[in-house]
Amino acid sequence: MKDSQIKKLIQQEAKRQKSVINLIASENYVSKDVLEALGSVLTNKYAEGYPGRRYYGGNTIIDKVEQMAIDRALKLFKLKSADWHANVQPLSGSPANFAVYSALVPQGGRIMGMKLSSGGHLTHGQPVSMTGKFWKQVPYEVDAKTGLLIYEELKKLAVAEKPNIIVAGFTAYPRIVDFKKFREIADASGAILMVDMSHFAGLVAGGVYPSPFPYADVVTTTTHKTLRGPRQAIIFVRKDEREFNKKIDKTIIPGLQGGPHENNIAGVAIALKEAMTPVYKKYVKQVVKNAKALAGELSRLGWKVISGGTDSHLLLVDTWSNGVPGKEASDKLEKAGIIVNMNTVPGDARGPMDPSGIRLGTPAETTRGKKEKDMIKIAQKIDKVLRK
Ligand code: DSN
């Protein structure tokens, strides 16, 4: 690289990434092949449109790249192209979710989504997000005591409020989500069911978390979390007489986006193929074992783990119940070389800029080869740092 200033910063960041313990639940380390695709000449090409239907010439090879990503996305999640459609062009998770609502929910319509403080994402209709300005959120929460979803309550809310779409799948809910129950709730209230599986897509692919596909109308996912690909997103759409697939394709381009980032799409295709391997299946199993080990040891050391543990790659710790605010906990840990994010906990009385807890996740450190015994040591280090 000739630009020595940027080169130096990249080297510094590479060193930082190597030198810390990374417990950010939504981060991971991509393979060399994925990095190579990201830095390839595919970035030079404009490809507005879809394979076989582009506005620009010169796309015969690009078409093959994008089609390969689409085919692999369907194959990884065991979907038939007769039943499901995959759009691999969304630039990230937020634009993917925005595109789904733009296509399927009339302006001013209602999105039933989980509150941020309970583990929902900004784009699940939070008032501060554009998804809460163009549409109205019907918020739901987890039980403040147990940290769990109460499906009966959700059903009552949905039947009373009649949202256009219900969003299941969260950024800080450590437990398994019952998608069948969400389907029943959507049917009882006449809503579309969307699952945002950004966090746990890799766990679904590896068979250690239930698949939302038998129940959802639309499934969105980022590709850079447990899936371990580049920063990008995929929208999966059930094909039926409602033709949501056509509506969503049209919303992505020409509705919201211009030229797709085909270098990223190539990186996604590589990550999807990597996720089909036995090595990856072993990896996601270990991710969950590691999260359970981390949660178990932190509980044993006297920390309040929300819902008492985890079924996935992430856990939430209420540090404030031991007198440590979330921001202070995150800052102290960073100084000690452990990177986490501060996070609200269910029923949080503190604000999102200094909440009551922290969120921890194991995908990144598991990629680096960590096992349960390492997680126990990390938990002990966290305990020591936070009690100082
Ligand atoms: N920032 C992601 C996360 O950490 O969960 C969601 O957008």
Side-chain angles (χ1 to χ4, degrees):
M1 190 181 289
K2 285 199 193 99
D3 186 328
S4 57
Q5 287 168 301
I6 288 292
K7 186 174 179 180
K8 200 170 155 200
L9 291 174
I10 292 174
Q11 285 169 343
Q12 283 173 2
E13 174 59 11
K15 198 170 160 201
R16 185 201 67 82
Q17 288 187 12
K18 279 207 181 98
S19 67
V20 296
I21 293 170
N22 182 3
L23 298 179
I24 303 276
S26 49
E27 290 184 7
N28 216 325
Y29 299 104
V30 298
S31 67
K32 284 204 173 103
D33 284 9
V34 170
L35 276 182
E36 211 175 297
L38 291 175
S40 72
V41 296
L42 299 181
T43 196
N44 297 333
K45 190 70 196 102
Y46 251 117
E48 281 155 319
Y50 292 102
R53 298 178 281 139
R54 305 285 187 184
Y55 294 97
Y56 289 61
N59 273 306
T60 47
I61 297 161
I62 292 290
D63 277 3
K64 287 183 190 164
V65 171
E66 190 169 329
Q67 193 57 50
M68 200 168 277
I70 293 168
D71 294 345
R72 287 181 183 177
L74 295 176
K75 188 173 172 200
L76 178 63
F77 292 102
K78 300 184 177 63
L79 306 173
K80 292 201 182 89
S81 60
D83 304 327
W84 283 87
H85 172 68
N87 187 314
V88 296
Q89 293 192 6
L91 304 176
S92 207
S94 296
N97 290 350
F98 194 85
V100 173
Y101 310 139
S102 301
L104 306 182
V105 183
Q107 273 182 34
R110 302 207 269 181
I111 300 168
M112 183 164 146
M114 198 197 262
K115 269 191 172 180
L116 209 57
S117 56
S118 278
H121 189 251
L122 281 167
T123 60
H124 296 175
Q126 314 299 334
V128 292
S129 152
M130 294 314 285
T131 62
K133 298 193 193 301
F134 292 172
W135 301 279
K136 188 179 170 347
Q137 189 189 42
V138 176
Y140 63 91
E141 295 179 78
V142 292
D143 182 74
K145 276 207 186 100
T146 62
L148 298 175
L149 286 161
I150 305 178
Y151 295 94
E152 278 315 305
E153 298 289 325
L154 298 188
K155 191 169 181 177
K156 275 188 217 151
L157 180 68
V159 169
E161 296 285 340
K162 300 232 172 322
N164 300 77
I165 195 165
I166 298 176
V167 184
F170 317 104
T171 64
Y173 187 72
R175 295 299 187 174
I176 277 171
V177 176
D178 189 334
F179 299 116
K180 186 166 184 270
K181 289 219 170 96
F182 265 103
R183 178 75 260 167
E184 287 162 11
I185 294 164
D187 287 343
S189 59
I192 296 164
L193 179 60
M194 166 176 146
V195 175
D196 179 347
M197 66 168 184
S198 294
H199 261 269
F200 51 84
L203 307 187
V204 174
V208 295
Y209 198 93
S211 171
F213 289 101
Y215 307 105
D217 299 302
V218 180
V219 177
T220 59
T221 185
T222 51
T223 48
H224 47 272
K225 297 185 175 85
T226 46
L227 259 184
R228 213 162 55 180
R231 311 193 80 82
Q232 182 80 10
I234 305 174
I235 305 175
F236 294 92
V237 196
R238 186 183 287 282
K239 279 184 178 168
D240 58 25
E241 65 291 346
R242 297 172 296 179
E243 300 200 319
F244 287 172
N245 50 319
K246 289 190 182 164
K247 289 181 183 162
I248 285 172
D249 275 2
K250 269 193 198 152
T251 303
I252 290 286
I253 168 90
L256 289 170
Q257 296 189 177
H261 298 182
E262 296 289 348
N263 55 326
N264 281 46
I265 291 174
V268 168
I270 293 169
L272 293 167
K273 192 172 179 191
E274 289 172 354
M276 290 175 203
T277 60
V279 176
Y280 181 84
K281 287 201 165 62
K282 212 172 149 196
Y283 158 71
V284 286
K285 269 198 193 111
Q286 192 63 49
V287 165
V288 178
K289 281 188 200 165
N290 282 353
K292 284 181 189 287
L294 189 58
E297 185 64 3
L298 283 168
S299 299
R300 196 188 68 78
L301 292 166
W303 294 92
K304 183 179 172 190
V305 177
I306 300 300
S307 83
T310 180
D311 304 320
S312 66
H313 62 297
L314 69 83
L315 48 137
L316 269 179
V317 183
D318 182 344
T319 52
W320 183 233
S321 66
N322 280 2
V324 188
K327 180 157 179 12
E328 186 183 319
S330 164
D331 290 348
K332 273 182 160 177
L333 289 169
E334 179 157 3
K335 280 199 188 104
I338 300 176
I339 311 298
V340 306
N341 66 274
M342 57 182 180
N343 218 97
T344 47
V345 299
D348 208 322
R350 303 172 64 90
M353 296 314 289
D354 188 10
S356 295
I358 52 175
R359 185 186 66 167
L360 311 176
T362 54
E365 286 305 315
T366 308
T367 292
R368 300 169 91 190
K370 300 268 191 330
K371 297 268 167 35
E372 291 99 313
K373 63 178 184 347
D374 304 301
M375 291 297 143
I376 288 169
K377 281 193 196 135
I378 290 172
Q380 290 167 354
K381 187 166 177 191
I382 291 173
D383 177 62
K384 209 169 150 191
V385 171
L386 295 187
R387 287 191 194 277
K388 256 191 204 156

